[in-house]
Amino acid sequence: MKLEGISHISGFNDCYAYNKDELIVNIRTNKTIKKVVIFADDPYINGCSTSAPWDGQPYEMQLKYELKHEFIYSVTLRPRYKRLQYYFRLTDDNNETMVYQESGIVSEEEFQKKIFREYFKFAWMNEADISVHPKWVENTYWYQIFPDRFCREEAPFEGTLSKWDDLSSFGHNVFYGGNLKGAMSRLEYLHELGVNGIYFNPLFVSDSNHKYNIDDYLHIDPNFGSNVDLKLLVEKAHSLGIKVMIDAVFNHSGLGFFAWKDVVENRRNSKYYDWFFINDEENFTITHKSTKDSRFYSFAFVDNMPKLNTNNPEVMSYFIEVCKKWIDMWDIDGIRFDVGNEISHAFIKKLHAELKAYRKDLFLLGEIWVNSSQYLQGDEYDSVMNYPYLENLSNFFLDKSRTAEDFKYAVNFCYSMYQKQVNENIFNLFDSHDIDRMYTRVKSYDAFIQMLVILSTLPGSPCIYYGTEIAMEGENDPYCRYPMRWDIVEDKSREDTFKAVQSLIKMRLSNSEFLGDSYRFEKTEGRLVCYERNGIRVYLNADETDRAVAFDKESEILFSHKASGNMLKAGGALVVRLKK
């Protein structure tokens, strides 16, 4: 038997409680393993002594995910006494069987020897340790708004504003005057589009247009409006059934933040000195120069974003109180945490515990661009921005040599990273303020529509970036932050695109089959992708030729792009509810 690539840990994402009754067990194997049986039971079923006989009950595990070089088998058990002891029997394609226990893989003969056995054990299904997220997030379709670029209404801006349609001078210090009153004036538009969640980039006092260098965490930037304006916006959004999430920048502050200003003035004598990471006491106040010299730590060597010491209990307490004040002032539904993997685990755990006690259904979203499973064990973030999903699934459209099989591996990789309950509310996206826009990236309208179909049909909580509904374009930052093209909305020149996105959003939110984390791929050839979710089948023809697809003619068409009957044209997409 080939033993490489076989792994399991009794915890984390390999063995965890899905709820108070169900325990999920996963095992990774190489692709020669064709059958896995778990033998499991309560560790004390026949007594506490290590000499008490114990064999376990057999449960055949099912192939959950196929990756390019490995299988992941899974089983859901209901331990009667909330504890579980177990081992695995593995069978390969030559029908050789071996036993996997905690200390490693052994032959049947070795396992039967009268020596100590090292079983795997899940000690207890404590409800307090189970990863639980707000249920409303699963059925939320988000719309991300970059405030300075979304909509301008009665602009209170002090200073020079660019004309909304002038893109000749563009960068981080160019302002267009988008504000909260403007966003509020477009809530009916968003309601018509069908989204039921808004995610705002930072709204607080800052001298930049992106507001990620915050000087005052308790006041809306005057150029965006006032604290009252946000309160009124949230109230109106809620009346339309729209949730609101705002951005928290706790990894770093701006240079005008009171604590940093005190440190600049009083140096080592400042009571806030340890709120930051200062390494050169004499020269740390030098401005307009990269922090690669390590005079102090900052975000990405940017000197106007000094890094906050979130190991410091005072820093933790200050920002937790800030969050509570946000909840009290504005009744927000979620908080997104910028640079969420550079904040200390200790801070996130404390923040999670206190904020969930304060508002149980508050959604906590981390910005992390890589596998984030260590932050998603139930006591830190509820979800993260799913950039691995964005990158891996975009690659299918960027690399035409990739097949439907490669697409399946990419999807399975993304969902194999996390627990089942996390996949149910993972924050899926294909563009944002930090990356090129979806349409610009793939340079194909058909691929753009297919990606929107993927976003709307795979597990998770989908998010589109402002302007996606009219296929706005833009390269990487800052060009992905062009002002919203309201002229296109008003002249209806891309009405077909708007209606297609509107249709997909409605489809996603009105069909419960898209909830949960289950899906399965059908075997196809070339670049014809086919997967099914609870009786709803999705077809994507990324080939260069038309392809026939098979489904009963009485099946209900939920969405169609370049499809006619059972023929799906090149670049087409089709979503059907199969006849029962």
Side-chain angles (χ1 to χ4, degrees):
M1 178 178 286
K2 182 180 178 182
L3 304 183
E4 293 86 350
I6 299 173
S7 67
H8 174 83
I9 297 174
S10 189
F12 303 103
N13 297 337
D14 286 351
C15 184
Y16 61 92
Y18 174 62
N19 52 44
K20 66 183 181 64
D21 297 315
E22 294 179 300
L23 188 73
I24 293 177
V25 183
N26 298 318
I27 181 174
R28 291 176 178 264
T29 77
N30 61 62
K31 297 183 90 167
T32 68
I33 302 301
K34 299 305 179 185
K35 183 178 180 180
V36 180
V37 178
I38 185 173
F39 289 79
D41 208 335
D42 190 274
Y44 309 116
I45 196 70
N46 294 319
C48 294
S49 171
T50 56
S51 63
W54 190 94
D55 294 312
Q57 300 297 314
Y59 303 90
E60 185 167 351
M61 303 181 73
Q62 302 301 310
L63 179 59
K64 176 74 172 177
Y65 298 115
E66 180 183 2
L67 307 183
K68 192 166 187 177
H69 301 294
E70 63 183 328
F71 290 143
I72 300 176
Y73 289 90
S74 183
V75 68
T76 301
L77 303 175
R78 299 177 67 90
R80 184 164 48 145
Y81 304 106
K82 309 299 181 186
R83 300 175 295 244
L84 198 71
Q85 183 165 280
Y86 58 98
Y87 65 93
F88 305 95
R89 272 196 168 86
L90 313 170
T91 304
D92 67 7
D93 47 17
N94 293 318
N95 290 320
E96 182 181 1
T97 299
M98 297 191 77
V99 175
Y100 183 19
Q101 53 185 348
E102 191 170 53
S103 57
I105 301 172
V106 298
S107 66
E108 288 281 3
E109 293 76 16
E110 181 73 14
F111 186 68
Q112 296 302 330
K113 288 181 178 179
K114 299 297 184 181
I115 57 177
F116 286 113
R117 294 177 178 176
E118 296 86 20
Y119 300 115
F120 292 101
K121 185 182 291 186
F122 192 89
W124 189 266
M125 297 169 64
N126 288 295
E127 289 188 50
D129 298 332
I130 300 172
S131 179
V132 179
H133 58 259
K135 294 297 290 182
W136 61 264
V137 179
E138 296 179 27
N139 210 33
T140 299
Y141 210 118
W142 297 94
Y143 188 93
Q144 181 187 350
I145 292 176
F146 192 83
D148 183 62
R149 306 295 157 78
F150 184 59
C151 185
R152 183 169 68 196
E153 185 93 0
E154 300 176 19
F157 196 92
E158 295 182 7
T160 303
L161 284 181
S162 294
K163 292 182 179 179
W164 201 258
D165 59 353
D166 179 11
L167 304 180
S168 59
S169 176
F170 203 71
H172 294 155
N173 296 314
V174 176
F175 296 85
Y176 285 85
N179 54 33
L180 288 173
K181 286 186 177 179
M184 186 172 174
S185 73
R186 299 293 183 171
L187 288 178
E188 287 85 0
Y189 166 83
L190 297 179
H191 182 61
E192 179 189 1
L193 179 61
V195 296
N196 58 351
I198 297 173
Y199 152 44
F200 281 105
N201 288 106
L203 296 166
F204 302 102
V205 176
S206 167
D207 63 4
S208 67
N209 59 34
H210 54 70
K211 308 301 178 192
Y212 279 102
N213 55 322
I214 295 176
D215 294 337
D216 184 343
Y217 289 84
L218 295 175
H219 291 90
I220 299 300
D221 190 286
N223 291 329
F224 289 161
S226 67
N227 286 9
V228 173
D229 288 333
L230 182 56
K231 178 178 174 61
L232 293 174
L233 185 150
V234 174
E235 288 175 353
K236 183 175 179 180
H238 285 171
S239 74
L240 294 170
I242 299 173
K243 304 284 189 180
V244 178
M245 176 167 60
I246 65 175
D247 217 326
V249 188
F250 296 163
N251 174 67
H252 51 270
S253 73
L255 298 182
F257 182 48
F258 77 89
W260 180 259
K261 289 171 67 177
D262 191 272
V263 171
V264 170
E265 181 179 352
N266 297 302
R267 307 288 176 121
R268 173 65 75 173
N269 293 324
S270 171
K271 65 179 181 180
Y272 303 110
Y273 190 85
D274 291 331
W275 281 37
F276 303 93
F277 296 95
I278 298 169
N279 303 310
D280 184 341
E281 296 182 28
E282 296 300 321
N283 300 307
F284 76 91
T285 58
I286 296 173
T287 57
H288 307 296
K289 178 186 175 183
S290 165
T291 62
K292 285 184 179 179
D293 60 7
S294 296
R295 64 188 185 278
F296 64 88
Y297 294 143
S298 68
F299 169 70
F301 305 121
V302 180
D303 76 325
N304 68 342
M305 296 183 183
K307 186 172 175 62
L308 288 156
N309 181 7
T310 55
N311 308 290
N312 186 321
E314 292 180 359
V315 173
M316 296 185 196
S317 296
Y318 175 80
F319 285 108
I320 289 171
E321 289 306 309
V322 164
C323 290
K324 291 178 181 178
K325 289 175 181 177
W326 290 349
I327 296 168
D328 291 340
M329 285 192 289
W330 300 310
D331 193 26
I332 55 172
D333 304 286
I335 302 175
R336 179 262 196 189
F337 296 88
D338 186 58
V339 200
N341 55 338
E342 289 192 29
I343 303 168
S344 72
H345 285 283
F347 175 42
I348 308 170
K349 290 176 189 292
K350 182 176 175 62
L351 184 144
H352 179 279
E354 294 204 23
L355 293 188
K356 291 293 185 176
Y358 203 70
R359 174 70 66 82
K360 184 177 181 181
D361 65 345
L362 186 72
F363 179 49
L364 304 179
L365 175 70
E367 183 217 5
I368 306 178
W369 287 53
V370 294
N371 185 323
S372 310
S373 58
Q374 61 180 307
Y375 298 89
L376 296 168
Q377 297 299 311
D379 57 352
E380 295 188 50
Y381 299 127
D382 293 313
S383 183
V384 290
M385 301 181 79
N386 200 356
Y387 279 98
Y389 170 103
L390 180 155
E391 294 165 350
N392 281 273
L393 304 193
S394 291
N395 284 342
F396 175 73
F397 296 97
L398 297 175
D399 180 359
K400 298 300 195 306
S401 72
R402 299 196 181 195
T403 66
E405 193 83 345
D406 294 318
F407 180 82
K408 177 182 73 174
Y409 296 150
V411 170
N412 287 345
F413 164 74
C414 292
Y415 289 106
S416 70
M417 291 190 293
Y418 303 129
Q419 297 181 4
K420 174 182 173 69
Q421 53 263 55
V422 171
N423 287 332
E424 292 170 350
N425 86 139
I426 193 73
F427 192 91
N428 291 333
L429 70 162
F430 276 126
D431 48 13
S432 75
H433 65 292
D434 281 328
I435 198 165
D436 53 349
R437 284 183 173 271
M438 190 194 321
Y439 185 67
T440 300
R441 184 181 316 132
V442 295
K443 299 177 176 61
S444 159
Y445 184 76
D446 290 338
F448 169 77
I449 293 295
Q450 289 177 336
M451 291 176 77
L452 285 167
V453 171
I454 293 166
L455 185 69
S456 303
T457 57
L458 282 177
S461 185
C463 178
I464 58 173
Y465 189 37
Y466 76 92
T468 296
E469 70 273 22
I470 52 170
M472 272 182 62
E473 300 179 63
E475 297 288 348
N476 276 311
D477 173 20
Y479 305 105
C480 55
R481 302 176 183 182
Y482 284 138
M484 174 66 178
R485 294 292 304 276
W486 292 112
D487 57 321
I488 292 175
V489 173
E490 290 160 7
D491 68 21
K492 298 187 181 301
S493 57
R494 297 183 187 175
E495 183 74 359
D496 288 347
T497 302
F498 178 90
K499 288 187 177 299
V501 176
Q502 183 185 50
S503 174
L504 285 168
I505 294 171
K506 181 179 179 181
M507 178 193 73
R508 168 65 179 79
L509 295 180
S510 60
N511 291 285
S512 61
E513 290 91 339
F514 294 118
L515 299 177
D517 82 323
S518 66
Y519 64 88
R520 66 180 182 84
F521 281 90
E522 299 288 339
K523 179 69 175 177
T524 58
E525 299 297 327
R527 285 171 58 81
L528 176 66
V529 172
C530 177
Y531 56 89
E532 191 174 317
R533 297 202 63 200
N534 303 309
I536 293 180
R537 187 172 293 171
V538 179
Y539 296 97
L540 307 167
N541 183 8
D543 262 333
E544 296 181 353
T545 58
D546 299 350
R547 299 287 296 272
V549 295
F551 59 91
D552 193 285
K553 65 180 181 180
E554 296 182 12
S555 298
E556 179 186 1
I557 306 295
L558 300 180
F559 179 83
S560 176
H561 172 68
K562 299 182 72 171
S564 178
N566 287 79
M567 186 60 64
L568 191 58
K569 295 181 180 180
L574 189 63
V575 183
V576 299
R577 178 181 283 110
L578 301 176
K579 179 185 176 183
K580 293 182 180 180

